[in-house]
Every structure is written in structure tokens, then in C-alpha cells.
Amino acid sequence: MSIMQLSASMEETYLQSSFLKEFRIPNYILVPESEIVTVPDVPKCPVLVFINSRSGGQLGGDLLVTYRSLLNKNQVFDLGEEAPDEVLRRVYLNLEKVKANGDEFAIKIQERLRIIVAGGDGTAGWLLGVVCDLKLSHPPPIATVPLGTGNNLPFAFGWGKKNPGTDRHSVAQFLDQVQKAKEMKIDNWHLLMRMRVPKDGACDPIAPLELPHSLHAFHRVSATDELNKEGYHTFRGGFWNYFSMGMDAQISYAFHSERKLHPEKFKNQLVNQSTYAKLGCTQGWFCASLMHPSSRNIAQLAKVKILKKHGQWQDLEIPHSIRSIVCLNLPSFSGGLNPWGTPNSRKVRDRDLTPPYVDDGLLEVVGFRDAWHGLVLFAPNGHGTRLAQAHRILFEFHKGAADHTFMRIDGEPWKQPLPVDDDTVVVEISHHGQVNMLATHDCRSKSVHDPSSSPSQHGSGSEEHFSDEEDSVHGGGEEHRKFGAAETFRIPDEVDISRIS
């Protein structure tokens, strides 16, 4: 036997050893009415794996095959075949039935359970939204596998932004990282959009050819919904990473439309990113002052108000040159860039700005003039125009300012028609709650509860060579219980799933 053959044999032995047993879940936990078996040891890190087989070109399908070959195939799910709320409903109801019979193994499985989701940011956001909606008695923390174009969520929590290897050894390495990962809280945000019913035409969001999975959480509320208001169209949804409006969302919309029309051209991550850059040129993002109507600049389009955690609503001054505004929850945007950066000690003192914590109940609001302005993010200490940090944000669109604009949540864009004969179009963003994420120990996301993340630990690094001439600001609503992603499984708020038999 050659050295290479011996090495391959040893690797196979490793994969079939006790290592993988720490992740496997027996059938009787996963499949209702299965025969109960005696399992000697509870796995240290039982996982449910959700994979979007259509993400990453062929990689999603390959990853699905590999995970099913290493784990129990019944704990690995294809999101193209079954929605995550359906899966979690089945698994958790079965867990409760088994636990009711005094099964200590099931109790430990539920306590230790972790979730892995592989797909783009939209897929990851869909899964997070489902877990948020279900209000599980012990919600499992979630690890995200980068399998999209931007991969901002995985990158923010240390899982990288390049598409992963799909071979057995690469998957085993990722499982090992999941077992060693730390738990972090992450804020999530509710988005409400309301407008008077237009006299002519429709104002429903227009997605690129079809509504993506992640955007099914963004929808018009029903006539019986408590948020519905007679004479108005009301839409609601939520996001984890960012909400953006303006020209950056317009480029994203063009990219997604092109990909829907010609999916065969978008099977390579590098090609996707190159196409995105080209669309930035053709759509005028690099010469916005010439090709972008000033009526669509944010200040001309809408009035913006913010609310801190404590205090009153206050107007937010938006410089007239700003063509794109981003409301950030995570320090990762457009493939891993950090538009907020780390404010130095003077900004912390004079403007009460903090680093971008992911669990502080605040969004970072950043503006951009054009693509050239965005290039500053590639420089050390580079950042966009810092506008504010806010607990709630309100956009009030001016009467007849434009017939449409573009919006985007967590990488998924849409074209938003605006009634031109009315000034009652509003978009309000408010804090919704938190879920548990899994993160590597050296990830870029920081917790406000971690002493090593405090402003004093960041030093007073100079950023004065970046212009802040626009970097200035002049200057409680009802709870929304559902994120909106769990379409088929909505447990009433008064029901505790831990008590379901």
C-alpha cells in the first residue's frame, strides 16, 4: 500500500470513528412512530442540517450528498423539497412525545441540538426567521455555511465567505468547528411598510421575476391581521443583517433579474461577483451624478426619523448627495465590508457612537454617494457616511417624489412602486428580538456583553484622513410577535411547545 493510499485509508477510518457519532441523531428522534432503540451515549453535538441544493451552482447538491453519507440521512434536509418550519414542527413534536415517555436521551438531544444551514444569505435568513417564529422552549443555535454570492451572515460569524469544500474531509472539518463554536445572541428587526391604497395601479413589491424564499417573509398583511388598517396596504417582514434603499438595491435588483433569466451563467462565485461589478457600471453607480435622477436621492425621496433606546423621535439630516442608505445590524455588507467601521475615541465622546455590536438593540445607519464613495471601505479604517445609531427608524416618503424606488433586505432586492398622489407612504424598522447564533472564537461580530469588545479595547485609531464633512446628525410602538418566515407552522403565543403532547 502506497503512502497516499494509507493516508486515504486513515482518513476514512477517522471519519467512521467515534468523531461522527457525536453529531448523529437516531431515527426514533427524527421520524415519528419509529422503533425506539437504546443508544449508549448521547452525542455531544447533535445537528439538524438544512441545505439549499440550488445554491452555489452544483455545490449545494454535492454538499447534500456528502452530509447524508456522513450522518443519518434523516437529519439532513433539502430546502428545495421541504420547508424548515415543516421539518422543525415534525422533529420537535416527536421530541416532546418521546420525552413524555420519560426518555432521558431525547431530553439531552434537545438541550444540545444545533442547526447548520447551507445557502446564501436569503436562505440563512429564512431559517433564522423560522426559528424566531416558532418560539421553541430551547431554540437551537445556528451555524451558517457560505453558499451564496455575498455570504455576509457566515462571514460575520467567522464561517468565511468562500464557497466550502464538499468532500468528506472538508465537511468533517466544518462539523468539528461547529462543535467547538461559541454561542452569540443576534438582534433581529421588524419592517413595516404602509401606504394608502392607490387610485390607479398596484403598490405590491416587485421581485426579480419571482419572489425568493427569503422574501416570502415580506408580504401584505391579511384583512384580519392586527396591523391591517382600512384604506391602506400594509406590508411586513424582517431582516437580520441589513435593510438598504436606493441605488445599491437597484444594482442588486438588476443582478438578481439577470440571474433569474440566465441561471446557467451564474454557477461560479467569481463570475457572479464580476457580473455584479459590471452591472454597477452599466446601471450608472460609478457615474451616479450623471445617470441617477436627483429626485431619487434619499433626502429628496423621503424624510427620515430615528428613535434612540431612550428619548423622542428626532429628524435625521441626510446629506443631499446620498443616493443609498444602509441600516446595518452586522459588520458585514456586500461580501464582507464594514461600512460603519470602528469609531475612534473622539467620535465615541462627541457623537456618542459605538462599535457595531450585534446584540445592542441598535442599527448603524450609513449613507453612500456612489460606488466611488463605497471604494473607501477597502482602505484601512475606511467607512461610509455615519448618520446615526438607532433603535427605531422611520422613512416618510415625500408626495410625488418618484414613482418607485428600490429596496433590499439581507441581499434580496425588490422594486417598490410609490403612489405619486399621496404622502402617506411609510417604512418603519423596529427591534424585534434575538436568536442564538454559532460563531468561531475569532469572528468579527462583537457582543456588547463581551468585555473585550468595549470601546476602550478598540484604541483610538485615527480615521481623520477620511472626510466627515457630511458625518453629522441634527437633531414606542406595539410589539410584533412574529418574524413572518414560518408560513406553515405558527404556534399560538399562549401555547408552550415544550408542553405539547
Side-chain angles (χ1 to χ4, degrees):
M1 181 180 294
S2 68
I3 294 178
M4 290 184 63
Q5 289 174 322
L6 179 62
S7 176
S9 177
M10 290 175 63
E11 178 182 340
E12 187 65 24
T13 301
Y14 164 72
L15 291 175
Q16 297 301 328
S17 70
S18 59
F19 170 75
L20 287 176
K21 293 179 182 177
E22 303 299 347
F23 304 92
R24 291 194 181 117
I25 302 175
N27 266 338
Y28 85 94
I29 297 292
L30 300 163
V31 183
E33 311 305 327
S34 295
E35 180 184 356
I36 296 179
V37 297
T38 301
V39 182
D41 299 305
V42 181
K44 294 179 182 178
C45 187
V47 294
L48 295 176
V49 183
F50 295 88
I51 299 173
N52 188 341
S53 59
R54 291 175 289 189
S55 291
Q58 182 65 33
L59 295 180
D62 293 345
L63 207 58
L64 187 71
V65 171
T66 304
Y67 269 100
R68 284 179 172 170
S69 71
L70 295 178
L71 304 174
N72 181 346
K73 65 179 182 179
N74 289 318
Q75 72 188 95
V76 183
F77 308 94
D78 183 354
L79 289 172
E81 298 177 353
E82 193 170 17
D85 38 339
E86 296 171 349
V87 172
L88 290 173
R89 174 185 185 276
R90 182 174 67 247
V91 171
Y92 269 82
L93 290 180
N94 191 57
L95 261 174
E96 297 305 326
K97 289 179 180 178
V98 176
K99 284 166 55 181
N101 294 326
D103 192 307
E104 295 291 330
F105 185 91
I107 294 173
K108 293 294 184 184
I109 287 286
Q110 186 168 339
E111 290 175 352
R112 301 177 185 181
L113 187 64
R114 297 185 165 197
I115 286 178
I116 295 172
V117 55
D121 284 330
T123 299
W126 183 23
L127 202 290
L128 266 64
V130 166
V131 172
C132 175
D133 272 1
L134 299 190
K135 297 187 181 296
L136 305 172
S137 57
H138 189 81
I142 302 165
T144 53
V145 181
L147 207 63
T149 301
N151 297 323
N152 291 295
L153 265 166
F155 187 65
F157 291 95
W159 303 110
K161 57 183 176 180
K162 293 183 179 179
N163 287 337
T166 60
D167 60 280
R168 293 164 66 87
H169 183 68
S170 296
V171 170
Q173 284 184 321
F174 188 85
L175 287 170
D176 186 48
Q177 284 183 294
V178 169
Q179 185 175 4
K180 296 174 181 176
K182 64 179 180 179
E183 291 190 32
M184 291 183 69
K185 295 286 187 182
I186 174 180
D187 293 323
N188 60 318
W189 299 85
H190 182 269
L191 189 146
L192 174 74
M193 181 167 65
R194 181 174 285 146
M195 63 194 71
R196 196 181 298 277
V197 176
K199 295 176 181 177
D200 299 301
C203 279
D204 286 36
I206 302 171
L209 303 186
E210 63 182 42
L211 202 64
H213 271 304
S214 59
L215 272 188
H216 82 265
F218 187 82
H219 58 88
R220 187 191 298 186
V221 302
S222 67
T224 57
D225 193 293
E226 62 182 7
L227 293 176
N228 185 59
K229 187 175 180 180
E230 188 174 352
Y232 289 80
H233 287 329
T234 302
F235 302 85
R236 65 175 299 271
F239 64 94
W240 305 92
N241 190 1
Y242 66 88
F243 165 81
S244 70
M245 183 177 70
M247 204 163 184
D248 77 295
Q250 177 181 331
I251 308 307
S252 180
Y253 185 89
F255 172 82
H256 279 71
S257 298
E258 186 72 15
R259 185 163 63 175
K260 293 288 185 182
L261 285 171
H262 306 287
E264 72 281 356
K265 298 179 181 179
F266 294 83
K267 293 186 176 182
N268 179 281
Q269 192 175 42
L270 188 60
V271 171
N272 291 356
Q273 292 168 346
S274 174
T275 302
Y276 205 101
K278 290 177 183 177
L279 284 170
C281 295
T282 59
Q283 292 285 317
W285 191 212
F286 281 91
C287 49
S289 59
L290 298 176
M291 299 184 66
H292 186 262
S294 60
S295 60
R296 291 190 195 164
N297 289 9
I298 303 301
Q300 285 87 329
L301 194 65
K303 182 178 182 180
V304 185
K305 296 182 177 181
I306 62 169
L307 183 71
K308 301 280 189 177
K309 279 189 175 180
H310 307 286
Q312 303 293 322
W313 284 103
Q314 56 184 281
D315 292 337
L316 179 63
E317 181 178 324
I318 306 294
H320 287 275
S321 59
I322 295 297
R323 299 179 177 89
S324 178
I325 193 168
V326 185
C327 304
L328 283 158
N329 188 39
L330 305 180
S332 182
F333 177 75
S334 292
L337 301 175
N338 183 2
W340 186 256
T342 302
N344 62 28
S345 56
R346 182 176 66 82
K347 298 287 173 28
V348 172
R349 182 188 68 246
D350 297 344
R351 293 191 52 202
D352 191 27
L353 302 180
T354 73
Y357 301 122
V358 299
D359 56 356
D360 60 356
L362 294 173
L363 284 171
E364 284 69 47
V365 186
V366 185
F368 290 96
R369 298 184 296 274
D370 51 30
W372 297 110
H373 188 191
L375 292 178
V376 75
L377 301 182
F378 290 96
N381 298 320
H383 60 86
T385 298
R386 296 189 185 116
L387 299 172
Q389 287 175 303
H391 187 62
R392 299 181 75 172
I393 305 170
L394 183 69
F395 296 88
E396 298 177 333
F397 289 87
H398 299 313
K399 180 178 181 179
D403 59 358
H404 72 273
T405 187
F406 293 89
M407 300 180 182
R408 182 164 61 144
I409 52 175
D410 290 354
E412 303 288 1
W414 73 94
K415 181 180 180 180
Q416 183 56 53
L418 300 172
V420 296
D421 58 350
D422 193 76
D423 59 350
T424 58
V425 185
V426 297
V427 173
E428 182 175 352
I429 300 170
S430 56
H431 190 258
H432 179 64
Q434 294 182 326
V435 294
N436 297 321
M437 295 294 291
L438 287 171
T440 62
H441 289 272
D442 59 349
C443 72
R444 63 164 44 195
S445 291
K446 303 299 179 185
S447 168
V448 71
H449 302 293
D450 182 357
S452 65
S453 300
S454 64
S456 61
Q457 297 295 321
H458 290 273
S460 57
S462 174
E463 49 188 40
E464 306 314 316
H465 53 287
F466 291 102
S467 174
D468 271 342
E469 75 278 1
E470 298 172 344
D471 204 7
S472 62
V473 178
H474 297 280
E478 70 179 301
E479 291 297 320
H480 306 287
R481 298 178 184 173
K482 292 291 181 184
F483 189 81
E487 221 171 23
T488 60
F489 180 33
R490 298 190 176 200
I491 302 174
D493 292 322
E494 66 273 10
V495 177
D496 183 353
I497 192 172
S498 65
R499 300 182 183 274
I500 295 177
S501 60

